[in-house]
Amino acid sequence: MLIKTRLLPPQQKPGPGSEIDWGHPLSRGLVGCWLFNEGAGLRVRDMVAGEFGAVQPGASVASNRLSLDGIAGYVACGTKVYPWLSGAFSVDARFQLGVPTSDQAPLLSITASDHGIFPAYTAQRRNLLYLGAGNYRYWSQSPINLLDGKTHLGTWVCAGPLQADIAESVMYADGQRQDVFSTQQTTPRASITKLWIGRYNIYYFPGVIEHLRIYARALTPDEVRWLHAEPYAMIRPAGPMRRYFTVTALDQVFRLREQPQRFRLKELGPRFRFREKRP
């Protein structure tokens, strides 16, 4: 029998005032987290650093997500050194890609050194992890097609700081590993100074982004699948908390609300005995 605990139903995004649960396994190595849940406004908050990015014209925050017009809208997150991208890192984002207005749809970019992540790139609309000119990897839109107009979770994992590590990088879509199309390795990775969400150079992301997270480590396949199933498991909502449990027994799934000191054993029958097990 397995019991997994969480603070909210699995796909529900916490509202304003929520914070990161640093005791949760999925918060380990987290260095950037944007939920875009501030309501209407011109700033979005990085929950890790506590800093605010500036929402530019053509972008807006509403209904717990960032909307981008693909023409001029993006979020400028400031100019500073990001030493965490000098090693292994992972980027995890839930988004819906609209119709690209050009051959590039940048989800995230580090502009000073030409680093970026693109769910759609070139006329063939490949997925791309770009770590400097001549150092990148393409993935096909398979087995998951991110260009079908639906909301997807994309996860890009780079295993290390060296030029050769691009050949070990992995992309997942909705928790499934995507097929590699091609890899190029000719230049080393450069330093990091400026972070943009939804823009690279003169190119802009068309669509909506529900959340964006950056880890200073390589996520494991099990963690990627966990993030797909429970994308906000590591977020602690504001206000009074109620834990939800998923209880699996005898090939059936029961969902129970936590009760003080006891569970609803009557609903499961007297022969069931279980304890809480954190994922």
Side-chain angles (χ1 to χ4, degrees):
M1 181 177 293
L2 174 66
I3 301 177
K4 297 180 72 174
T5 68
R6 55 184 177 274
L7 300 177
L8 288 172
Q11 298 293 325
Q12 182 177 328
K13 180 189 288 190
S18 54
E19 298 293 339
I20 296 169
D21 178 4
W22 289 109
H24 195 282
L26 288 177
S27 65
R28 184 173 66 88
L30 191 63
V31 293
C33 180
W34 295 263
L35 294 188
F36 310 113
N37 61 355
E38 295 84 357
L42 298 178
R43 300 192 306 168
V44 294
R45 178 172 174 255
D46 175 0
M47 296 177 65
V48 175
E51 299 174 352
F52 289 86
V55 178
Q56 305 298 309
S60 61
V61 177
S63 302
N64 277 343
R65 59 186 191 173
L66 173 68
S67 297
L68 302 159
D69 63 0
I71 300 173
Y74 72 103
V75 176
C77 296
T79 301
K80 61 180 181 179
V81 175
Y82 289 92
W84 39 266
L85 276 183
S86 62
F89 71 92
S90 305
V91 174
D92 168 78
R94 188 171 176 85
F95 59 89
Q96 181 180 12
L97 182 62
V99 178
T101 56
S102 69
D103 62 356
Q104 299 185 27
L107 183 70
L108 171 74
S109 72
I110 317 295
T111 59
S113 51
D114 289 336
H115 292 22
I117 289 174
F118 304 79
Y121 190 91
T122 76
Q124 290 75 36
R125 298 290 187 256
R126 310 291 184 196
N127 299 292
L128 175 67
L129 172 61
Y130 184 54
L131 296 177
N135 198 34
Y136 52 83
R137 169 164 273 195
Y138 286 114
W139 290 269
S140 303
Q141 297 290 352
S142 63
I144 304 297
N145 178 16
L146 299 180
L147 308 181
D148 59 4
K150 300 178 181 179
T151 300
H152 295 283
L153 181 73
T155 309
W156 291 260
V157 179
C158 187
L162 303 178
Q163 175 183 337
D165 289 316
I166 193 69
E168 303 300 323
S169 58
V170 182
M171 181 196 169
Y172 300 86
D174 297 339
Q176 299 186 53
R177 189 164 176 163
Q178 293 289 90
D179 297 332
V180 175
F181 179 76
S182 64
T183 305
Q184 178 72 33
Q185 301 166 254
T186 57
T187 58
R189 288 168 57 174
S191 60
I192 312 302
T193 57
K194 186 182 292 185
L195 176 66
W196 285 344
I197 298 174
R199 177 184 175 184
Y200 167 74
N201 201 340
I202 61 172
Y203 304 100
Y204 298 86
F205 182 90
V208 298
I209 304 174
E210 296 190 5
H211 75 251
L212 175 66
R213 288 187 287 254
I214 303 174
Y215 288 86
R217 65 181 181 90
L219 292 169
T220 68
D222 285 343
E223 288 174 326
V224 171
R225 287 189 288 268
W226 189 358
L227 284 168
H228 176 243
E230 301 180 42
Y232 308 108
M234 79 299 294
I235 305 298
R236 186 182 300 276
M241 292 190 300
R242 170 177 284 160
R243 257 200 232 118
Y244 288 75
F245 295 82
T246 298
V247 182
T248 305
L250 297 181
D251 299 323
Q252 300 183 62
V253 175
F254 303 86
R255 284 181 180 167
L256 306 177
R257 289 183 177 179
E258 183 183 21
Q259 295 184 353
Q261 307 302 322
R262 61 190 176 88
F263 298 97
R264 295 179 182 175
L265 293 178
K266 291 182 180 179
E267 297 183 9
L268 298 178
R271 59 196 178 102
F272 287 93
R273 295 292 184 269
F274 55 88
R275 61 184 177 82
E276 176 180 341
K277 180 180 179 182
R278 294 186 179 277

